[in-house]
Amino acid sequence: MISFKKITQQRYKLSFQFELLTAYISEWNGVLQGIKQHHQSRFSQTGCHSELRRNIHRLEKGICFPDKKESYASGYIDKTIVHFTNALSSPIADQHEIKWASSVLAKYFDDVSNTQNESILKAQRTFNSLNVSNIDEAHTPYTHSKLESLSTSTPEDFMALCQKRVSCRWFTPETIPNESIEYCIKAASQAASACNRQPFRFIHITTPELKKKVVNLPLGTKGFGNDLPHLIVVVGDWSCFEFERDRHLIFIDASLATSQFLLALVAQGYAGVPINWPDIKQNNDTIRETLSLEAYEMPIMLIGFGKPLPDAQIPFSHKKSVNQLLFEQ
């Protein structure tokens, strides 16, 4: 005879397995929709395609190699030119990205000027026929020593900035100027990103009613969420990728960018709190409908921020030591 305790354990196990399976199915649906969108938009004139950004960055990395081959990038230069041509014709393409792509392509074709590779020669002929004029050497690879002209803080100052980055949940009601928020976004955009695709966006919720609805979707915001003066939803975009193997990059790249966003808040005298987003299908469906997100877009986390109250209590949150985190093999 099966005991009540065993039945309860089996039910819990089945419930856990069902929730896990539901989460996986939901994620895979988003990944598959993203791959589908990636291929459908590949040859459309919808701005700078993520694959163009990726391939231009790949060309840059090739240019940076000390011992370059006479011919390189022959396997993807033809597709790059197709994406570049479409971007040139798009009315919504970012012109700074166009200048970057134009400059790197010009530098690349100069690098492989002695090639006999037909794919590269064909791509070069197409590029030359476009009569691109916005070429700027300043938008191409440079030596690391050039960065020495940029003033930076001392190691002690940087560590102080990192230590001032705390999760604050209590703020004054005053709002932050738009230029300060844009400063944080600019800082976030400088974060490392796999092949520079930057598969994310920041949605600033400005409507009080919408903010109240969104901030109560994740778990753990009870007691402070409704009082946040500012709220941002960080959203990942699976349509930036061609292969399922890259499906985790939205989480990695968005988190790297968010970290710099939070540091930029501190540098201006503000504070923020990253809010974990639970991977629950119902919550995902609700926020997608509420914010009109695509099926291939995934909420990564929320960020509450503002001007901290001087007497706001901050958890001590002891961090792991270097010895606990750093290992050598």
Side-chain angles (χ1 to χ4, degrees):
M1 187 174 183
I2 302 176
S3 67
F4 177 76
K5 181 178 180 181
K6 189 149 186 142
I7 292 175
T8 303
Q9 289 175 339
Q10 288 177 341
R11 285 180 176 176
Y12 176 79
K13 184 177 179 181
L14 287 172
S15 176
F16 174 79
Q17 290 174 336
F18 178 76
E19 288 184 12
L20 192 60
L21 181 61
T22 301
Y24 281 150
I25 292 173
S26 178
E27 178 177 329
W28 271 104
N29 179 63
V31 172
L32 292 174
Q33 290 296 326
I35 293 174
K36 179 181 177 181
Q37 176 65 20
H38 181 90
H39 286 281
Q40 287 180 342
S41 62
R42 172 174 279 179
F43 302 113
S44 64
Q45 295 177 352
T46 55
C48 293
H49 195 276
S50 61
E51 193 165 325
L52 174 62
R53 292 183 57 83
R54 179 197 180 204
N55 286 353
I56 294 298
H57 186 64
R58 293 167 78 185
L59 291 177
E60 284 193 300
K61 290 190 288 186
I63 292 171
C64 290
F65 267 73
D67 300 315
K68 291 187 285 288
K69 297 178 180 179
E70 186 177 272
S71 299
Y72 61 95
S74 60
Y76 60 88
I77 189 60
D78 53 342
K79 292 180 181 179
T80 305
I81 291 298
V82 171
H83 289 307
F84 178 70
T85 303
N86 288 335
L88 282 179
S89 305
S90 172
I92 63 172
D94 185 284
Q95 293 307 306
H96 295 289
E97 290 192 0
I98 293 293
K99 178 178 284 191
W100 168 54
S102 302
S103 304
V104 171
L105 281 166
K107 176 70 173 175
Y108 164 74
F109 287 123
D110 184 59
D111 253 15
V112 295
S113 58
N114 295 323
T115 185
Q116 297 301 316
N117 184 284
E118 186 53 40
S119 295
I120 296 177
L121 291 172
K122 180 181 178 182
Q124 186 174 25
R125 288 193 292 269
T126 302
F127 179 73
N128 291 338
S129 69
L130 296 172
N131 295 318
V132 177
S133 59
N134 59 343
I135 295 172
D136 184 357
E137 190 174 341
H139 284 65
T140 61
Y142 51 87
T143 60
H144 190 272
S145 60
K146 187 176 180 180
L147 297 175
E148 294 177 1
S149 62
L150 298 176
S151 60
T152 56
S153 59
T154 65
E156 293 76 17
D157 289 338
F158 177 71
M159 184 58 69
L161 177 67
C162 292
Q163 290 171 336
K164 285 183 71 175
R165 200 296 314 154
V166 296
S167 293
C168 180
R169 295 170 175 82
W170 315 107
F171 305 90
T172 68
E174 65 184 279
T175 57
I176 295 177
N178 285 335
E179 54 266 29
S180 295
I181 299 175
E182 290 173 1
Y183 173 89
C184 294
I185 296 296
K186 186 173 182 179
S189 74
Q190 296 299 310
S193 172
C195 282
N196 202 33
R197 280 171 285 199
Q198 298 184 301
F200 50 79
R201 61 189 178 115
F202 295 81
I203 301 178
H204 186 203
I205 309 295
T206 57
T207 307
E209 296 79 12
L210 184 60
K211 183 169 63 175
K212 184 176 181 180
K213 183 176 182 179
V214 171
V215 80
N216 286 297
L217 285 175
L219 310 177
T221 57
K222 186 178 180 180
F224 74 92
N226 291 332
D227 296 324
L228 294 173
H230 290 277
L231 183 70
I232 273 180
V233 181
V234 185
V235 177
D237 183 356
W238 273 309
S239 73
C240 290
F241 308 103
E242 183 178 7
F243 306 107
E244 54 83 23
R245 67 189 182 213
D246 294 324
R247 67 187 184 278
H248 291 161
L249 291 179
I250 63 167
F251 304 105
I252 298 170
D253 287 8
S255 297
L256 289 168
T258 298
S259 181
Q260 295 195 184
F261 180 98
L262 293 169
L263 289 174
L265 284 172
V266 178
Q268 299 178 92
Y270 303 119
V273 53
I275 301 171
N276 177 54
W277 180 260
D279 189 11
I280 301 173
K281 184 180 184 302
Q282 182 179 349
N283 295 45
N284 291 336
D285 292 342
T286 300
I287 199 168
R288 283 190 176 111
E289 180 180 356
T290 302
L291 300 181
S292 300
L293 303 181
E294 300 291 348
Y296 49 80
E297 290 187 298
M298 176 71 181
I300 307 296
M301 70 181 81
L302 276 59
I303 308 172
F305 60 102
K307 186 75 174 177
L309 285 171
D311 58 351
Q313 293 290 299
I314 306 296
F316 182 77
S317 296
H318 175 72
K319 307 304 181 185
K320 288 184 177 181
S321 68
V322 173
N323 290 336
Q324 289 175 290
L325 297 172
L326 180 61
F327 293 83
E328 295 182 1
Q329 289 188 339

